[in-house]
Amino acid sequence: MLSKISSLFLGVFLSISLSVFAQKKKDIDLETVTEKNLKSGIAILNDLISIPNDSNIPEQLWPNLEWCERNFGSRGWKTQRLETAGFPLMLAEMSVPKATKTVLFYFHVDGQPVNAKQWDQEDPFGPVLKQRNSVGKWETIPMSRLDNGFDPEWRIFARSASDDKGPLAMFLTAWDALKAEGKSPNFNVKVILDFEEEIGSPHLGPAVNMHKEKLAADMMLIMDGPRHISNEPTLTFGARGIAEITLTVYGPRNDQHSGHYGNYAPNPAFRLSQLLSSMKDDAGRVVIPGFYDGISLTEEEKRILAAVPHDAETVKKSLGIGSTDKVGATYQESLQYPSLNIRGLYSGGVGKEARTIVPSTALAEIDVRLVPESDPERLFALIRKHIQQQGYHILDQDPTDVERQKYPKLVKWQGTISYKAFRTPFDSAPGKMLNNAYIRAFGKEPIKNRISGGSLPIAPFVDALQIPAVTVVTVNSDNNQHGPNENIRLGNYKEGIKTALAILTEELK
Amino acid sequence: MLSKISSLFLGVFLSISLSVFAQKKKDIDLETVTEKNLKSGIAILNDLISIPNDSNIPEQLWPNLEWCERNFGSRGWKTQRLETAGFPLMLAEMSVPKATKTVLFYFHVDGQPVNAKQWDQEDPFGPVLKQRNSVGKWETIPMSRLDNGFDPEWRIFARSASDDKGPLAMFLTAWDALKAEGKSPNFNVKVILDFEEEIGSPHLGPAVNMHKEKLAADMMLIMDGPRHISNEPTLTFGARGIAEITLTVYGPRNDQHSGHYGNYAPNPAFRLSQLLSSMKDDAGRVVIPGFYDGISLTEEEKRILAAVPHDAETVKKSLGIGSTDKVGATYQESLQYPSLNIRGLYSGGVGKEARTIVPSTALAEIDVRLVPESDPERLFALIRKHIQQQGYHILDQDPTDVERQKYPKLVKWQGTISYKAFRTPFDSAPGKMLNNAYIRAFGKEPIKNRISGGSLPIAPFVDALQIPAVTVVTVNSDNNQHGPNENIRLGNYKEGIKTALAILTEELK
């Protein structure tokens, strides 16, 4: 009874204080407050990225989930685990008295696998501070240097420093900063944490549907991904979806001696080459009829896309390519179309594994990036039809002996639709709110990407919750995301905190 | 002085005896003598195949060389090592008094690598005797079963049992049998042993030229390779040569995120597919102009080829293919043409290694089987010209940054000509001699292959020594050559001894 009364009292007291704070939320100086909290913010980051987080290893994920429960819980957030068919999601909620709106933030806490040997530091989960030396090489400096100074060009190297623990640490730091100033948002805040993003969030769709009441919100902000290559403040209003196809073309049942059966047993690697080759023209455009249906950019849309800075010559040099594919007239235009990409090829063996054989199979791994106009089921049907038109019988498993005799050309199709695309209008509620917040933080409008080339598992939220979603990108684009020596530039970390602070102090009506 | 006299005396004595034996050499009954020596012959085989012989591991090759030196030396042959730029060749010589002709036999002693885990026996170099059980599975039986019986369907399993230590052991057994009967050939015999055949005999050509006086002979008989699939006695009058090409097509300098750069950075796997696809038509025929130049089969040649038994439907079933390439009208005709075979493909990664990237490179391993009409330099020039006509700039190493900017399409070419083809007329001296020997051994003419699809490093001998060469094939075609569970059928081993005995007792005029 006593505890009930006291918590009631505390609740009343808190709601009064929060409501008072809320009225003054814009009074703080974003730059000053960010600077004041930067050191403790880096400590939060270093603490979080010290926990191994390979999404393929659940034993590594649990300590990350517990860290998040502790760190949201100790800040007064209500946390809960949301069951999925795989690793649970975590939901943290902060109710703000009198708030009428709710903003749902998304982060993921898992990371790509690490191959420690490829890193320039002993432990990819032991954060290291580095600066560039006079010849442009990264050299380690003691973390204690941060006690007496801060250089925005310094970077912290560790797995997930940018993707995506950095943004989560920015958010927590911004929250602490807000609280230290005695402020609060004027909206309720929910945070959903995904622990399976790097394996394609395979259980997210059904889970979001199952828990959609708990996740209900007015908009969703995704804090993940890099800024524009210019490193100017950026917002991204959508993301392409992704589907994967594995094609296996069959030759003889077993590898055959290329002397005895070259010129006689059909070679599956040639057949696969011919099949793949039939899908695209020399300029990289998909020639399968209907593949680009539904996409037509208006002059206005082209103008908006052209406003995103892009120096084709610099990009070509940086990528080491002499020409580009011609799917769109420009880089930004090319992202408005679905892609058909061969990410892997294998047959027989190469290098030391090469033997003089007619291989038994040849395999292609394909990824298809999706835009809102390209329903993946429709694209899959078009691609399958095209394959059949090349004379193939399509299987969903390895051929039987009877099928081998019956059909001269056999291919196995394994298709997976990971998630669809989403795209939110620039003038949507989150678009307007974020534009204002960015102007307050940086004195100018952000670069606005209509859609990102890469994919995010956000469409399930957009579809289930029927809310607009925008991606708040903060980290440096050269962060080596997914590869060895992932890092975050401290200037970006600081501006990310400032961005989160600007959002949390923005009035949502 | 004494020793000189006694060796002179011994020499005179030996030459008289040998000459007496030589006169009677045809008197022996091939079947009876073969049977008498079979058990000791299997002991020779088991002894030899117990020595590991991976051609990539010189430390394994030395004990093989020493075994050969001991085993020819103890039989009275003169042995010597012939230097090469790699592992030495071994030459064994047996001079026969009054002989006017010399026959050079070729064997190789090295073997393909083994992966012991894939074998059904503990040690691929521990010979195991097996019989098929009632459900057709191979089951081990004690080697001692051979003390009381012999079943031609039993097999001995071990690396090189068929390829090519089996034939060498047959030859030594036949020699012992001949000696036990007090007989001798009417020709001098030379035996050349190759220890690098399975890695393509890379040093053989120059070595044969360097040592051609020592190798001088009137004909060459190669004892290597399997009989016709019907397992009837077979002779093969040539072998296709082989050249290898590795093509590497370049995309962006480093793997790129397929979301960020799909539709923009050219995909090297698509480009490689298009390039390979441009080389062949749907029926597996090379469409590069000139590739098949110089080959036109006469009606007589077609008739001879048609005489080789071949049941296309059975072969298709056995290979698990529903159709065949159409380079020739029949299997035998297809072997008369050069081939262009993709033996390996690689790009990005597949299966668990697949990542959502635009790969930086795509690689194809190609082998080209050569016939006498197709000079490899000419074919290489044709293929290179074709590649250039597809818009490629050809490099011999990875591109520089300048080359990357200058040429939209880049490919690295690494070509190796391992050895050329050879083909000997049916009515050549060795053709006639072998035909007679086979009739004596088997009561009928052998199946005669105009050329084998596979390659043998024999062209260097043919070119340097200017002699005809024929391949005496003896082992079962289902011997799992190069793979796990290599074996030799004991019936073939026995008939191989008989074949060698028939050749050694054939009169060469």
Side-chain angles (χ1 to χ4, degrees), chain B residues 417-433:
Chain B
I417 296 165
S418 285
Y419 32 82
K420 295 185 180 180
F422 77 96
R423 201 173 61 214
T424 300
F426 290 160
D427 62 358
S428 58
K432 287 176 186 163
M433 179 232 202

Side-chain angles (χ1 to χ4, degrees), chain B residues 69 83-84 89 105 189 201 265 309 352 357 364 399 415 429 444 463 484 488 506:
Chain B
E69 286 174 333
E83 214 179 301
T84 78
L89 297 161
F105 285 83
V189 191
S201 302
K352 285 189 179 167
I357 53 165
K444 60 182 177 185
D463 290 351
I488 188 162
E506 188 58 37

Side-chain angles (χ1 to χ4, degrees), chain A residues 112 226 229 240 242 244 251-254 256-267 269-284 286 292 310-313 315-328 330-331 334-352 354-359 362-367 369 390 401 404-409 452-455 481-482, chain B residues 112 226 229 240 242 244 251-254 256-267 269-284 286 292 310-313 315-328 330-331 334-352 354-359 362-367 369 390 401 404-409 452-455 481-482:
Chain A
Q112 287 274 328
I229 197 170
R240 290 200 285 194
I242 185 164
E244 294 91 14
R253 194 186 298 102
N254 303 305
Q256 293 295 333
H257 191 290
S258 72
H260 300 157
Y261 290 109
N263 283 0
Y264 197 71
N267 183 305
F270 260 115
R271 287 209 165 154
L272 179 65
S273 295
Q274 288 165 331
L275 181 59
L276 295 170
S277 170
S278 72
M279 295 181 184
K280 279 194 165 182
D281 68 15
D282 202 44
V286 175
Y292 297 132
H310 183 77
D311 177 355
E313 287 313 309
V315 172
K316 276 158 66 178
K317 260 193 192 155
S318 137
L319 297 183
I321 55 176
S323 67
T324 65
D325 283 350
K326 301 288 182 296
V327 180
T330 63
Y331 173 67
S334 77
L335 301 182
Q336 313 307 313
Y337 291 85
S339 71
L340 180 67
N341 176 61
I342 305 177
R343 57 188 182 140
L345 272 186
Y346 188 81
S347 184
V350 298
K352 285 190 178 166
R355 292 169 300 140
T356 47
I357 53 165
V358 178
L363 193 148
E365 298 278 10
I366 291 171
D367 60 69
R369 299 282 173 172
Q390 311 309 307
D401 283 351
R404 285 182 170 278
Q405 293 308 302
K406 190 168 174 190
Y407 304 103
K409 290 180 169 182
S452 74
S455 306
Q481 184 180 339
H482 296 193
Chain B
Q112 286 274 330
I229 196 169
R240 291 199 287 194
I242 185 165
E244 294 92 14
R253 194 185 299 102
N254 302 306
Q256 292 295 333
H257 191 290
S258 73
H260 300 157
Y261 290 108
N263 283 359
Y264 196 71
N267 183 305
F270 260 115
R271 287 209 166 154
L272 178 65
S273 296
Q274 288 165 332
L275 181 59
L276 295 170
S277 171
S278 71
M279 295 181 184
K280 278 193 166 184
D281 68 15
D282 201 43
V286 175
Y292 297 132
H310 183 79
D311 177 356
E313 288 312 309
V315 172
K316 277 159 65 178
K317 260 194 191 152
S318 137
L319 296 183
I321 56 176
S323 68
T324 64
D325 282 350
K326 302 287 183 295
V327 179
T330 63
Y331 173 66
S334 77
L335 301 182
Q336 312 307 314
Y337 292 84
S339 72
L340 180 67
N341 176 61
I342 306 177
R343 57 188 182 140
L345 273 185
Y346 188 81
S347 184
V350 299
K352 285 189 179 167
R355 293 169 300 141
T356 47
I357 53 165
V358 177
L363 192 148
E365 299 278 10
I366 292 171
D367 60 70
R369 299 282 173 173
Q390 310 309 306
D401 283 351
R404 286 183 169 278
Q405 292 308 300
K406 188 168 173 189
Y407 304 104
K409 290 179 169 184
S452 74
S455 306
Q481 183 180 340
H482 295 194

